[in-house]
Amino acid sequence: MINTKWMFLPDYYCCADTLQKKLEEQALKGWRLDKFWRCGIFVFYRVEPQRLHYFVDLFPYGSDFDTVVIGRAEDYVSCCQAAGWELEAMRGRVYIFAAEDPDLPPIQTDPQLRFQSINRAMLRAILCCVTFALLGTAMVIFYALDGWGVLFNADASLRLRLCEWSTFVMVFLLALLGSAGTVSYLIWRAVNRKRLGREEPLWMGGHWHIGAVAAMMPVIVLARGYFVYALDYGVFRAVLTLLVGLLVGLFIRWYWFGQR
Amino acid sequence: MAREPLQTLTEPMYYILLCLTTECCGADIMRMVESVSHGRVRIGPGTLYALLQRFQESGVIADTCVRGRIRRYIITDYGRKLLDEEYARLEAMCRDRREFEGRITE
Protein backbone atom coordinates (compact mmCIF):
# COMPACT_ATOMS: atom_id res chain seq x y z
CA MET A 1 0.00 0.00 0.00
CA ILE A 2 1.26 3.47 -0.86
CA ASN A 3 1.79 5.50 2.31
CA THR A 4 3.14 8.73 0.82
CA LYS A 5 1.50 11.11 -1.62
CA TRP A 6 2.86 14.17 -3.43
CA MET A 7 0.62 17.00 -4.60
CA PHE A 8 1.03 20.30 -6.36
CA LEU A 9 -0.99 22.95 -4.46
CA PRO A 10 -1.32 26.75 -4.53
CA ASP A 11 1.71 27.72 -2.55
CA TYR A 12 1.82 31.39 -1.90
CA TYR A 13 0.89 33.47 1.14
CA CYS A 14 -2.03 35.09 -0.67
CA CYS A 15 -3.70 31.68 -1.31
CA ALA A 16 -3.74 30.67 2.37
CA ASP A 17 -7.50 29.93 2.47
CA THR A 18 -7.41 27.79 -0.67
CA LEU A 19 -4.45 25.87 0.72
CA GLN A 20 -6.16 25.39 4.11
CA LYS A 21 -9.27 24.02 2.38
CA LYS A 22 -7.21 21.61 0.24
CA LEU A 23 -5.29 20.36 3.30
CA GLU A 24 -8.56 19.82 5.19
CA GLU A 25 -9.93 17.81 2.24
CA GLN A 26 -6.82 15.64 2.26
CA ALA A 27 -7.13 15.04 6.04
CA LEU A 28 -10.74 13.89 5.48
CA LYS A 29 -9.44 11.44 2.86
CA GLY A 30 -6.81 10.13 5.30
CA TRP A 31 -3.73 12.09 4.18
CA ARG A 32 -1.90 14.27 6.68
CA LEU A 33 0.69 16.89 5.72
CA ASP A 34 4.30 15.82 6.21
CA LYS A 35 6.35 18.55 4.53
CA PHE A 36 6.30 21.00 1.65
CA TRP A 37 8.60 22.94 -0.64
CA ARG A 38 8.12 26.54 -1.64
CA CYS A 39 7.61 25.63 -5.31
CA GLY A 40 4.19 24.20 -4.39
CA ILE A 41 5.06 20.52 -3.82
CA PHE A 42 3.31 19.10 -0.74
CA VAL A 43 4.07 15.66 0.73
CA PHE A 44 1.42 13.73 2.71
CA TYR A 45 1.51 10.53 4.77
CA ARG A 46 -1.38 8.11 5.28
CA VAL A 47 -3.41 8.31 8.52
CA GLU A 48 -6.94 7.47 9.61
CA PRO A 49 -9.39 9.93 7.97
CA GLN A 50 -9.99 12.81 10.38
CA ARG A 51 -11.56 16.25 10.50
CA LEU A 52 -8.70 18.71 10.95
CA HIS A 53 -8.59 22.50 10.77
CA TYR A 54 -5.55 24.12 9.23
CA PHE A 55 -4.13 27.60 9.47
CA VAL A 56 -1.40 28.85 7.15
CA ASP A 57 0.52 31.65 8.81
CA LEU A 58 3.48 33.84 8.02
CA PHE A 59 6.09 34.21 10.76
CA PRO A 60 7.28 37.82 10.51
CA TYR A 61 10.72 37.23 12.08
CA GLY A 62 11.47 34.32 9.71
CA SER A 63 13.71 34.17 6.67
CA ASP A 64 12.85 32.65 3.28
CA PHE A 65 15.68 30.14 3.81
CA ASP A 66 14.58 28.72 7.19
CA THR A 67 14.13 24.94 7.14
CA VAL A 68 13.91 24.26 10.88
CA VAL A 69 12.16 25.91 13.82
CA ILE A 70 14.92 27.88 15.48
CA GLY A 71 15.39 31.02 17.61
CA ARG A 72 12.31 33.22 17.91
CA ALA A 73 10.28 30.73 15.88
CA GLU A 74 10.50 28.27 18.80
CA ASP A 75 8.81 30.83 21.04
CA TYR A 76 6.19 31.55 18.36
CA VAL A 77 5.43 27.84 17.87
CA SER A 78 5.12 27.24 21.62
CA CYS A 79 2.77 30.24 21.80
CA CYS A 80 0.60 28.69 19.07
CA GLN A 81 0.72 25.36 20.93
CA ALA A 82 -0.46 27.14 24.08
CA ALA A 83 -3.42 28.41 22.02
CA GLY A 84 -4.17 24.82 20.84
CA TRP A 85 -2.53 24.82 17.39
CA GLU A 86 0.04 22.11 16.55
CA LEU A 87 2.74 22.77 13.95
CA GLU A 88 2.37 20.41 10.97
CA ALA A 89 5.13 21.70 8.70
CA MET A 90 7.14 24.83 7.99
CA ARG A 91 9.44 26.22 5.32
CA GLY A 92 10.82 29.72 5.05
CA ARG A 93 8.36 32.04 6.75
CA VAL A 94 5.35 29.82 6.05
CA TYR A 95 4.12 27.86 9.06
CA ILE A 96 1.21 25.42 8.72
CA PHE A 97 -0.69 24.61 11.91
CA ALA A 98 -3.46 22.07 12.50
CA ALA A 99 -6.05 21.55 15.23
CA GLU A 100 -8.94 19.18 15.82
CA ASP A 101 -11.05 21.71 17.71
CA PRO A 102 -13.01 23.90 15.23
CA ASP A 103 -13.69 26.59 17.87
CA LEU A 104 -10.08 27.53 18.60
CA PRO A 105 -9.26 31.25 18.42
CA PRO A 106 -7.60 32.07 15.08
CA ILE A 107 -3.83 32.57 14.89
CA GLN A 108 -4.35 35.92 13.16
CA THR A 109 -6.86 38.25 14.77
CA ASP A 110 -6.00 41.52 12.99
CA PRO A 111 -6.74 41.48 9.21
CA GLN A 112 -4.96 44.82 8.60
CA LEU A 113 -1.76 43.55 10.18
CA ARG A 114 -2.02 40.23 8.33
CA PHE A 115 -2.40 42.06 5.02
CA GLN A 116 0.65 44.23 5.77
CA SER A 117 2.80 41.22 6.78
CA ILE A 118 1.86 39.24 3.67
CA ASN A 119 2.26 42.24 1.39
CA ARG A 120 5.74 42.86 2.79
CA ALA A 121 6.78 39.22 2.45
CA MET A 122 5.54 39.04 -1.15
CA LEU A 123 7.53 42.04 -2.32
CA ARG A 124 10.73 40.07 -3.05
CA ALA A 125 9.00 37.51 -5.27
CA ILE A 126 6.98 40.26 -6.95
CA LEU A 127 10.11 42.33 -7.57
CA CYS A 128 11.57 39.26 -9.28
CA CYS A 129 8.38 38.85 -11.37
CA VAL A 130 8.30 42.56 -12.34
CA THR A 131 11.99 42.53 -13.35
CA PHE A 132 11.54 39.46 -15.54
CA ALA A 133 8.30 40.83 -17.02
CA LEU A 134 9.94 44.15 -17.96
CA LEU A 135 13.22 42.66 -19.21
CA GLY A 136 11.45 39.86 -21.10
CA THR A 137 8.94 42.20 -22.75
CA ALA A 138 11.71 44.66 -23.69
CA MET A 139 13.71 41.84 -25.30
CA VAL A 140 10.69 40.49 -27.23
CA ILE A 141 10.09 44.04 -28.54
CA PHE A 142 13.79 44.25 -29.43
CA TYR A 143 13.49 40.96 -31.38
CA ALA A 144 10.46 42.31 -33.27
CA LEU A 145 12.20 45.61 -34.10
CA ASP A 146 15.28 43.69 -35.25
CA GLY A 147 13.22 41.69 -37.78
CA TRP A 148 13.19 38.61 -35.46
CA GLY A 149 16.99 38.13 -35.71
CA VAL A 150 17.90 34.87 -37.43
CA LEU A 151 14.79 33.06 -36.14
CA PHE A 152 13.24 32.74 -39.58
CA ASN A 153 16.41 33.14 -41.63
CA ALA A 154 16.85 29.94 -43.68
CA ASP A 155 20.39 30.98 -44.69
CA ALA A 156 21.70 30.89 -41.10
CA SER A 157 23.24 27.66 -39.74
CA LEU A 158 20.99 25.25 -37.82
CA ARG A 159 23.08 25.66 -34.63
CA LEU A 160 22.77 29.43 -34.74
CA ARG A 161 19.02 29.23 -35.33
CA LEU A 162 18.53 26.73 -32.49
CA CYS A 163 20.52 29.00 -30.16
CA GLU A 164 18.43 31.98 -31.19
CA TRP A 165 15.17 30.06 -30.78
CA SER A 166 16.16 28.79 -27.31
CA THR A 167 16.97 32.38 -26.26
CA PHE A 168 13.69 33.66 -27.67
CA VAL A 169 11.61 30.95 -25.97
CA MET A 170 13.40 31.65 -22.67
CA VAL A 171 12.80 35.38 -22.91
CA PHE A 172 9.16 34.88 -23.93
CA LEU A 173 8.48 32.48 -21.03
CA LEU A 174 10.14 34.81 -18.51
CA ALA A 175 8.03 37.73 -19.78
CA LEU A 176 4.86 35.61 -19.60
CA LEU A 177 5.51 34.17 -16.12
CA GLY A 178 6.70 37.51 -14.75
CA SER A 179 3.59 39.30 -16.06
CA ALA A 180 1.25 36.58 -14.70
CA GLY A 181 2.85 36.83 -11.24
CA THR A 182 2.72 40.63 -11.22
CA VAL A 183 -0.91 40.82 -12.38
CA SER A 184 -2.10 38.22 -9.84
CA TYR A 185 -0.35 40.12 -7.03
CA LEU A 186 -1.88 43.44 -8.12
CA ILE A 187 -5.38 41.88 -8.19
CA TRP A 188 -4.88 40.38 -4.72
CA ARG A 189 -3.63 43.71 -3.34
CA ALA A 190 -6.43 45.79 -4.87
CA VAL A 191 -9.20 43.39 -3.75
CA ASN A 192 -7.92 43.26 -0.18
CA ARG A 193 -7.38 46.99 0.16
CA LYS A 194 -11.01 47.46 -0.84
CA ARG A 195 -12.14 44.74 1.58
CA LEU A 196 -10.16 46.24 4.47
CA GLY A 197 -11.78 49.61 3.75
CA ARG A 198 -15.20 47.96 4.04
CA GLU A 199 -14.07 45.99 7.13
CA GLU A 200 -14.68 42.66 5.37
CA PRO A 201 -12.47 39.58 5.92
CA LEU A 202 -9.38 39.30 3.73
CA TRP A 203 -9.63 37.41 0.44
CA MET A 204 -7.00 34.67 0.62
CA GLY A 205 -8.47 32.51 -2.14
CA GLY A 206 -7.29 31.99 -5.67
CA HIS A 207 -5.13 29.28 -7.15
CA TRP A 208 -1.99 31.19 -7.93
CA HIS A 209 1.44 29.66 -7.98
CA ILE A 210 3.60 32.78 -7.66
CA GLY A 211 6.22 30.88 -5.63
CA ALA A 212 6.35 28.19 -8.30
CA VAL A 213 6.57 30.85 -11.01
CA ALA A 214 9.47 32.56 -9.20
CA ALA A 215 11.18 29.16 -8.74
CA MET A 216 10.73 28.31 -12.44
CA MET A 217 12.58 31.39 -13.69
CA PRO A 218 16.12 30.24 -12.80
CA VAL A 219 15.16 26.75 -14.05
CA ILE A 220 14.26 28.19 -17.47
CA VAL A 221 17.54 30.16 -17.63
CA LEU A 222 19.54 27.05 -16.62
CA ALA A 223 17.65 24.83 -19.09
CA ARG A 224 18.45 27.23 -21.91
CA GLY A 225 22.12 27.30 -20.84
CA TYR A 226 22.33 23.48 -20.87
CA PHE A 227 20.58 23.33 -24.24
CA VAL A 228 23.20 25.62 -25.82
CA TYR A 229 25.99 23.70 -24.01
CA ALA A 230 24.60 20.44 -25.43
CA LEU A 231 24.59 21.95 -28.93
CA ASP A 232 28.28 22.85 -28.60
CA TYR A 233 29.68 19.89 -26.64
CA GLY A 234 27.17 17.07 -27.09
CA VAL A 235 24.31 15.69 -24.98
CA PHE A 236 26.49 13.30 -22.92
CA ARG A 237 28.75 16.07 -21.65
CA ALA A 238 25.77 18.33 -20.92
CA VAL A 239 24.04 15.59 -18.86
CA LEU A 240 27.30 14.91 -17.01
CA THR A 241 27.67 18.62 -16.19
CA LEU A 242 24.05 18.73 -15.06
CA LEU A 243 24.64 15.78 -12.68
CA VAL A 244 27.79 17.39 -11.26
CA GLY A 245 25.85 20.65 -10.83
CA LEU A 246 23.04 18.82 -9.00
CA LEU A 247 25.53 17.06 -6.69
CA VAL A 248 27.27 20.35 -5.86
CA GLY A 249 23.85 21.97 -5.24
CA LEU A 250 22.79 19.14 -2.93
CA PHE A 251 26.09 19.31 -1.05
CA ILE A 252 25.75 23.09 -0.58
CA ARG A 253 22.13 22.63 0.58
CA TRP A 254 23.16 19.92 3.06
CA TYR A 255 26.17 21.89 4.30
CA TRP A 256 24.37 25.24 4.58
CA PHE A 257 20.86 24.28 5.65
CA GLY A 258 21.01 20.64 6.75
CA GLN A 259 23.22 21.27 9.77
CA ARG A 260 21.21 24.13 11.29
CA MET B 1 -3.24 62.87 6.42
CA ALA B 2 -1.43 59.52 6.87
CA ARG B 3 -0.50 58.81 10.48
CA GLU B 4 3.04 57.95 11.47
CA PRO B 5 3.34 54.30 12.54
CA LEU B 6 2.72 53.84 16.30
CA GLN B 7 1.61 57.46 16.70
CA THR B 8 -1.78 56.18 17.82
CA LEU B 9 -1.93 52.73 19.37
CA THR B 10 -4.61 50.28 18.30
CA GLU B 11 -6.49 48.36 20.97
CA PRO B 12 -4.29 45.20 20.76
CA MET B 13 -1.13 47.36 20.73
CA TYR B 14 -2.26 49.23 23.83
CA TYR B 15 -3.01 46.05 25.78
CA ILE B 16 0.25 44.35 24.73
CA LEU B 17 2.30 47.36 25.89
CA LEU B 18 0.30 47.50 29.10
CA CYS B 19 1.12 43.84 29.81
CA LEU B 20 4.78 44.42 28.96
CA THR B 21 5.17 46.89 31.82
CA THR B 22 6.11 43.65 33.59
CA GLU B 23 8.48 41.16 31.95
CA CYS B 24 6.46 38.60 29.93
CA CYS B 25 6.79 35.88 27.29
CA GLY B 26 4.43 35.53 24.31
CA ALA B 27 2.05 33.04 25.96
CA ASP B 28 1.86 35.25 29.11
CA ILE B 29 0.97 38.29 26.99
CA MET B 30 -1.91 36.44 25.27
CA ARG B 31 -3.33 35.28 28.61
CA MET B 32 -2.86 38.66 30.31
CA VAL B 33 -4.46 40.66 27.49
CA GLU B 34 -7.57 38.48 27.69
CA SER B 35 -7.79 38.77 31.47
CA VAL B 36 -6.96 42.52 31.68
CA SER B 37 -9.58 43.32 29.02
CA HIS B 38 -12.12 40.98 30.73
CA GLY B 39 -12.20 38.73 27.65
CA ARG B 40 -13.08 41.62 25.31
CA VAL B 41 -9.75 41.60 23.44
CA ARG B 42 -8.18 38.35 22.23
CA ILE B 43 -4.88 38.33 20.37
CA GLY B 44 -3.87 35.39 18.18
CA PRO B 45 -0.21 34.29 18.33
CA GLY B 46 0.37 35.32 14.68
CA THR B 47 -0.92 38.83 15.32
CA LEU B 48 1.06 39.01 18.57
CA TYR B 49 4.36 38.19 16.86
CA ALA B 50 3.71 40.61 13.99
CA LEU B 51 3.16 43.35 16.59
CA LEU B 52 6.16 42.31 18.70
CA GLN B 53 8.34 42.55 15.59
CA ARG B 54 7.00 46.02 14.82
CA PHE B 55 7.53 47.13 18.40
CA GLN B 56 11.09 45.83 18.46
CA GLU B 57 11.95 47.50 15.15
CA SER B 58 10.68 50.81 16.57
CA GLY B 59 12.51 50.39 19.90
CA VAL B 60 9.24 50.23 21.89
CA ILE B 61 10.07 46.90 23.54
CA ALA B 62 13.26 44.88 24.10
CA ASP B 63 14.23 41.23 24.70
CA THR B 64 15.25 40.52 28.26
CA CYS B 65 16.25 36.87 28.29
CA VAL B 66 15.89 33.55 26.48
CA ARG B 67 15.20 30.49 28.64
CA GLY B 68 14.99 27.32 26.55
CA ARG B 69 12.35 27.99 23.89
CA ILE B 70 10.86 30.92 25.78
CA ARG B 71 11.82 34.51 25.05
CA ARG B 72 10.79 37.31 27.39
CA TYR B 73 10.15 40.96 26.55
CA ILE B 74 9.76 44.24 28.43
CA ILE B 75 8.68 47.75 27.50
CA THR B 76 11.43 50.37 26.96
CA ASP B 77 11.37 54.00 28.19
CA TYR B 78 10.22 55.09 24.72
CA GLY B 79 7.44 52.49 24.82
CA ARG B 80 6.32 53.67 28.25
CA LYS B 81 6.20 57.25 26.90
CA LEU B 82 3.97 56.07 24.02
CA LEU B 83 1.72 54.19 26.43
CA ASP B 84 1.41 57.23 28.73
CA GLU B 85 0.63 59.50 25.79
CA GLU B 86 -2.08 57.12 24.59
CA TYR B 87 -3.54 56.93 28.09
CA ALA B 88 -3.61 60.74 28.30
CA ARG B 89 -5.26 60.92 24.86
CA LEU B 90 -7.97 58.41 25.82
CA GLU B 91 -8.53 60.16 29.15
CA ALA B 92 -8.87 63.52 27.38
CA MET B 93 -11.43 62.02 24.99
CA CYS B 94 -13.51 60.67 27.91
CA ARG B 95 -13.27 64.01 29.75
CA ASP B 96 -14.33 65.89 26.61
CA ARG B 97 -17.39 63.66 26.24
CA ARG B 98 -18.38 64.13 29.87
CA GLU B 99 -18.02 67.91 29.56
CA PHE B 100 -19.97 67.97 26.29
CA GLU B 101 -22.84 65.88 27.69
CA GLY B 102 -22.86 68.04 30.85
CA ARG B 103 -23.24 71.19 28.75
CA ILE B 104 -26.16 69.69 26.80
CA THR B 105 -28.08 68.68 29.95
CA GLU B 106 -27.55 72.16 31.45
Side-chain angles (χ1 to χ4, degrees):
Chain A
M1 194 163 87
I2 298 166
N3 287 318
T4 309
K5 181 162 95 167
W6 294 51
M7 275 183 90
F8 192 64
L9 295 173
D11 61 316
Y12 220 60
Y13 314 125
C14 59
C15 307
D17 287 353
T18 312
L19 180 56
Q20 280 160 215
K21 212 173 132 204
K22 299 262 178 199
L23 294 173
E24 283 165 12
E25 282 169 13
Q26 290 306 312
L28 274 178
K29 289 178 189 166
W31 293 101
R32 196 157 176 167
L33 179 65
D34 183 19
K35 56 190 166 189
F36 67 99
W37 285 280
R38 287 297 306 284
C39 50
I41 299 168
F42 287 74
V43 184
F44 296 86
Y45 62 94
R46 194 183 282 281
V47 288
E48 282 297 307
Q50 54 192 315
R51 189 172 291 278
L52 278 178
H53 298 274
Y54 280 91
F55 196 93
V56 180
D57 197 26
L58 182 79
F59 178 53
Y61 282 109
S63 137
D64 286 334
F65 302 103
D66 286 349
T67 52
V68 286
V69 180
I70 198 163
R72 281 178 202 280
E74 288 184 304
D75 192 22
Y76 160 71
V77 169
S78 53
C79 226
C80 292
Q81 278 171 343
W85 293 95
E86 286 298 326
L87 180 68
E88 285 275 286
M90 61 75 64
R91 184 157 292 266
R93 296 177 208 201
V94 180
Y95 283 67
I96 300 180
F97 295 92
E100 287 180 16
D101 183 0
D103 299 321
L104 277 184
I107 289 178
Q108 288 286 347
T109 45
D110 186 337
Q112 176 88 40
L113 206 62
R114 192 180 186 198
F115 172 74
Q116 285 168 359
S117 300
I118 294 174
N119 197 32
R120 208 159 119 178
M122 280 171 77
L123 283 179
R124 191 180 297 170
I126 296 307
L127 201 66
C128 174
C129 284
V130 171
T131 310
F132 279 110
L134 291 177
L135 278 178
T137 311
M139 285 179 78
V140 171
I141 292 170
F142 177 74
Y143 263 103
L145 290 176
D146 196 37
W148 301 105
V150 291
L151 291 178
F152 304 106
N153 187 347
D155 297 335
S157 70
L158 181 67
R159 187 202 160 275
L160 191 64
R161 284 179 67 192
L162 282 173
C163 272
E164 194 82 349
W165 267 107
S166 66
T167 310
F168 180 75
V169 169
M170 175 186 79
V171 162
F172 183 73
L173 282 177
L174 292 182
L176 200 72
L177 292 177
S179 307
T182 310
V183 169
S184 54
Y185 163 73
L186 289 176
I187 293 172
W188 176 83
R189 190 163 169 263
V191 167
N192 280 315
R193 285 180 93 161
K194 207 175 266 182
R195 279 177 162 243
L196 281 173
R198 292 195 298 241
E199 297 195 350
E200 287 174 8
L202 286 181
W203 175 56
M204 306 292 279
H207 291 80
W208 299 320
H209 300 270
I210 299 176
V213 165
M216 269 179 74
M217 288 175 177
V219 174
I220 292 171
V221 175
L222 272 175
R224 188 262 166 194
Y226 276 111
F227 178 73
V228 174
Y229 189 82
L231 279 178
D232 282 342
Y233 297 103
V235 176
F236 177 73
R237 210 162 141 181
V239 170
L240 204 67
T241 319
L242 182 69
L243 286 176
V244 171
L246 276 174
L247 279 175
V248 171
L250 283 174
F251 175 76
I252 291 172
R253 191 185 173 280
W254 167 79
Y255 187 79
W256 196 251
F257 300 115
Q259 297 183 358
R260 287 173 67 185
Chain B
M1 196 174 75
R3 283 197 311 242
E4 270 180 48
L6 301 181
Q7 201 182 23
T8 307
L9 302 179
T10 61
E11 212 171 26
M13 284 176 173
Y14 182 83
Y15 280 104
I16 291 172
L17 288 185
L18 189 62
C19 295
L20 284 175
T21 48
T22 56
E23 194 188 70
C24 291
C25 67
D28 290 344
I29 299 171
M30 287 199 308
R31 271 192 298 272
M32 278 171 79
V33 167
E34 203 173 337
S35 97
V36 170
S37 67
H38 306 284
R40 198 172 52 81
V41 180
R42 283 177 103 178
I43 298 174
T47 302
L48 174 71
Y49 273 83
L51 286 173
L52 288 179
Q53 186 208 22
R54 194 175 284 193
F55 284 151
Q56 274 202 309
E57 279 174 1
S58 318
V60 175
I61 61 165
D63 279 359
T64 50
C65 66
V66 184
R67 250 182 241 131
R69 298 171 66 182
I70 307 297
R71 197 174 283 262
R72 303 179 81 83
Y73 306 88
I74 197 155
I75 196 165
T76 59
D77 290 343
Y78 173 57
R80 200 174 277 273
K81 187 176 153 267
L82 280 182
L83 190 64
D84 291 345
E85 279 173 6
E86 185 64 16
Y87 179 74
R89 193 181 71 86
L90 293 171
E91 214 178 23
M93 282 167 71
C94 295
R95 192 181 55 233
D96 291 346
R97 179 178 167 162
R98 276 195 301 272
E99 282 176 13
F100 181 74
E101 284 178 346
R103 251 186 284 158
I104 286 175
T105 45
E106 278 167 23

